[in-house]
Amino acid sequence: DAEITQSPRHKITETGRQVTLACHQTWNHNNMFWYRQDLGHGLRLIHYSYGVQDTNKGEVSDGYSVSRSNTEDLPLTLESAASSQTSVYFCASSEALGGELFFGEGSRLTVL
Amino acid sequence: ILNVEQSPQSLHVQEGDSTNFTCSFPSSNFYALHWYRWETAKSPEALFVMTLNGDEKKKGRISATLNTKEGYSYLYIKGSQPEDSATYLCALRNQGGKLIFGQGTELSVKP
C-alpha cells in the first residue's frame, strides 16, 4: 500500500546542531507539506512544495529549509536548532492542489 | 493572513449525546474547507472536503455543512461514542492551494 513515512520518529538534539527530518511518500503526489504542532497554535505550515525543484515558505519558515530533488521526498532541515523549535513535526502530501492531505505519523523533536 | 477560528476549544459530552462545533473563516478568501479528525498519538485523517456553498456531507454519524457567504462550517456528531473522542480540525484552502488550519476542537466523550 502507498504510504507516507517520517523519520526519525523521536529525536533529541542540542542547541546549534543541524537536524534533518525525512519525509517519504509512495503515492507519487506532487504536493508535499511540513507542519509543526504546538499547544495553542494547532498546525502551522513551515514549508511546502508543488513539485520537483519547487519549494515555498509557509507561515513559520524562519530557521527551516527544505529541498525537493525528487517526487517522493521532502526533507526538512533545521540549520541551527533552537529550543523554540522543540515541537512535533508532521509531513503531509496531497494529490490535487488544495486536495485532501495525507499525513505522516509525526516526528517529535526536542532541542535541549 | 487567513484567520480560521474554531469553537469551542474543547467539549465534554456523555455517550449518546449529539454535538456540534463551528469553524469560521473569512468568506472573501474561500476556495475549499477541509475537516480532519485527529486522535491522540495518531495522524490527522481527512473527514470532508467541501467546496460549494450549501454543501452537506455525511460519513456515518458525522456530518458537516458549509456556508461560504457568511464564512462558517458546522460539524455534527449524532449519538457520540467514546471512540469519537479526538481533536477535530478545520482548514481553509487559500488561492495558492495551501491549507491554513484552525486550532481545533477537542472532543471528549465519556461512557
Side-chain angles (χ1 to χ4, degrees), chain A residues 37-62:
Chain A
Q37 181 221 350
D38 303 288
L39 279 175
H41 290 281
L43 287 170
R44 291 184 293 173
L45 184 62
I46 306 171
H47 281 286
Y48 59 103
S49 169
Y50 290 150
V52 175
Q53 301 302 331
D54 176 71
T55 61
N56 306 280
K57 294 181 178 180
E59 307 167 73
V60 290
S61 60
D62 287 349

Side-chain angles (χ1 to χ4, degrees), chain B residues 50-91:
Chain B
M50 308 174 79
T51 57
L52 299 175
N53 185 43
D55 249 357
E56 291 188 28
K57 300 238 177 177
K58 187 175 181 181
K59 186 180 289 188
R61 293 178 291 98
I62 304 176
S63 60
T65 61
L66 177 66
N67 185 322
T68 60
K69 293 184 179 179
E70 296 183 33
Y72 64 85
S73 175
Y74 293 140
L75 190 78
Y76 300 91
I77 302 178
K78 183 178 178 182
S80 302
Q81 299 297 308
E83 57 265 31
D84 295 328
S85 297
T87 297
Y88 292 83
L89 298 169
C90 73

